[in-house]
Amino acid sequence: MANQSTVREFVLMGFSDDPDLKMLHSVTFLIVYVTALTGNCLIIAAMATDHHLHTPMYFFLVNLSLLDICSISTTVPKSIAVSLTNNKGISFAGCVTQIFLMVMFVGGELALLTIMAYDRYIAICHPLQYRLIMNLNTCIQMVSISFICNLINGLLQTSMTFRLNFCMSNMIGQYFCDIPQLQKISCTDTKINQILILVLGFFLASFIFTFILASYIYIFLSVMKIPSVQSRYKVFSTCIPHLAVFFLFITTAVFSFMRPKSLSSPSVDLLSAVLYTTLPPVLNPIIYSFRNKDLQKALKKILNKIMNLLHHYKN
């Protein structure tokens, strides 16, 4: 890449230089990171140890938890290290890696949420064919295809971003390497990059929103045909967590990337980035386990085992 000769390192300018605020940021981000890791690891452990949860819905949920762990691990640990060491630099290669991984993991989460909407549609609208349609091979193929597509998208977005020249400034107004912030400090015309992101984002968002909306319209119509109110409630309870997670993800992402320029400022940019990079990984396990009795039972078993082990070591 030609611009490697002009910029060898970027400087992350996201948070304050005040020592007290830096310590507050470090502690807050550490709590957020540990919470996200704990919640998502417990979800994965519950699926792995309870055979009742070996179904397509939970298979996709495990993959979503893995992506949550990967996405938050791409940005937050580096930000904590920056605050603790007062070294704001990130290498050119490190910045490339952050951009690539964030695009791939965030895209992967969006793809999985779309697949999970299809899974709920088949389970509710075609229950007799569910096991035939959503077999293990199909689930693996769907996840694999989404991974390959987002790998290609990550490579495309990263290569387009780092074809730009950064000869004027190397200071990024964010706590991690972010494509919009890199475009701001580039001394190359970024119109093509902006158009590419806008076009891809528009078509992708339109397809996903339409697909999920159509799925839930069919689901709603099918559920309303169920005579029992209790059965309706039980069916809806499997859909509400997915919808909550989807809207959490979409609202934070839209606020970050598609808000008008009049609402853009360094502090708002920073807040929006914190929301879409940290909020979904922390809240997703809570949302999915809140009203899911099977998952709650599996989590209680794991927590009881952990408490028994700790009690055993104390004695």
Side-chain angles (χ1 to χ4, degrees):
M1 297 180 185
N3 54 3
Q4 197 167 3
S5 60
T6 54
V7 173
R8 296 181 182 276
E9 184 182 66
F10 293 98
V11 179
L12 302 173
M13 303 295 294
F15 292 102
S16 172
D17 289 327
D18 184 273
D20 293 333
L21 290 178
K22 285 199 295 186
M23 183 56 64
L24 177 63
H25 156 240
S26 300
V27 172
T28 303
F29 263 40
L30 182 61
I31 293 170
V32 167
Y33 186 57
V34 170
T35 303
L37 286 185
T38 304
N40 285 289
C41 285
L42 283 173
I43 293 285
I44 295 168
M47 310 303 175
T49 56
D50 193 329
H51 70 277
H52 293 104
L53 303 181
H54 294 175
T55 63
M57 183 178 74
Y58 294 110
F59 171 77
F60 296 131
L61 184 54
V62 165
N63 282 276
L64 184 65
S65 293
L66 286 170
L67 285 174
D68 281 337
I69 291 171
C70 292
S71 64
I72 199 169
S73 297
T74 303
T75 58
V76 170
K78 174 62 179 177
S79 181
I80 295 172
V82 166
S83 291
L84 292 177
T85 62
N86 203 29
N87 177 13
K88 295 185 177 183
I90 181 171
S91 67
F92 189 90
C95 195
V96 172
T97 303
Q98 268 198 344
I99 291 286
F100 170 70
L101 292 178
M102 279 303 294
V103 171
M104 188 171 68
F105 293 144
V106 171
E109 289 191 47
L110 198 53
L112 265 177
L113 290 172
T114 308
I115 292 170
M116 292 168 81
Y118 176 72
D119 172 70
R120 291 299 81 207
Y121 161 73
I122 297 296
I124 294 167
C125 299
H126 304 281
L128 299 178
Q129 298 175 298
Y130 180 69
R131 291 185 179 276
L132 180 64
I133 297 173
M134 299 301 293
N135 57 65
L136 181 59
N137 287 334
T138 301
C139 294
I140 293 173
Q141 286 173 7
M142 293 171 86
V143 171
S144 300
I145 291 170
S146 73
F147 173 78
I148 292 168
C149 290
N150 283 290
L151 178 66
I152 294 170
N153 183 44
L155 290 170
L156 176 64
Q157 297 285 356
T158 306
S159 61
M160 286 293 292
T161 300
F162 289 97
R163 284 177 65 87
L164 302 172
N165 291 315
F166 305 100
C167 51
M168 292 165 50
S169 173
N170 68 337
M171 294 185 180
I172 299 173
Q174 194 53 272
Y175 76 94
F176 65 98
C177 284
D178 196 21
I179 290 177
Q181 295 297 326
L182 285 168
Q183 289 179 352
K184 285 182 180 180
I185 65 171
S186 172
C187 53
T188 309
D189 187 5
T190 61
K191 285 183 180 178
I192 295 176
N193 295 60
Q194 291 174 357
I195 291 170
L196 176 65
I197 291 173
L198 186 63
V199 170
L200 282 176
F202 175 77
F203 281 108
L204 187 64
S206 299
F207 170 77
I208 290 171
F209 187 79
T210 303
F211 185 90
I212 292 179
L213 180 64
S215 298
Y216 275 99
I217 288 173
Y218 280 111
I219 288 170
F220 180 78
L221 293 174
S222 296
V223 170
M224 294 309 294
K225 294 177 183 177
I226 301 174
S228 170
V229 175
Q230 188 175 0
S231 298
R232 285 186 202 171
Y233 176 79
K234 187 176 180 181
V235 173
F236 271 129
S237 66
T238 66
C239 300
I240 290 171
H242 174 262
L243 278 174
V245 169
F246 174 72
F247 280 111
L248 171 67
F249 187 88
I250 286 295
T251 50
T252 54
V254 167
F255 180 72
S256 297
F257 293 104
M258 302 186 74
R259 68 182 183 275
K261 289 185 178 180
S262 59
L263 294 177
S264 183
S265 69
S267 56
V268 173
D269 291 345
L270 188 61
L271 175 63
S272 65
V274 171
L275 288 177
Y276 91 86
T277 55
T278 62
L279 211 57
V282 170
L283 293 183
N284 286 356
I286 297 171
I287 292 170
Y288 270 106
S289 59
F290 182 63
R291 298 189 66 86
N292 191 316
K293 292 182 179 179
D294 292 333
L295 187 54
Q296 287 176 1
K297 287 179 183 178
L299 289 172
K300 284 178 182 177
K301 287 180 182 178
I302 293 172
L303 292 173
N304 286 335
K305 287 180 180 179
I306 293 172
M307 294 301 293
N308 289 335
L309 283 173
L310 292 174
H311 181 71
H312 175 74
Y313 282 119
K314 281 184 180 179
N315 295 333

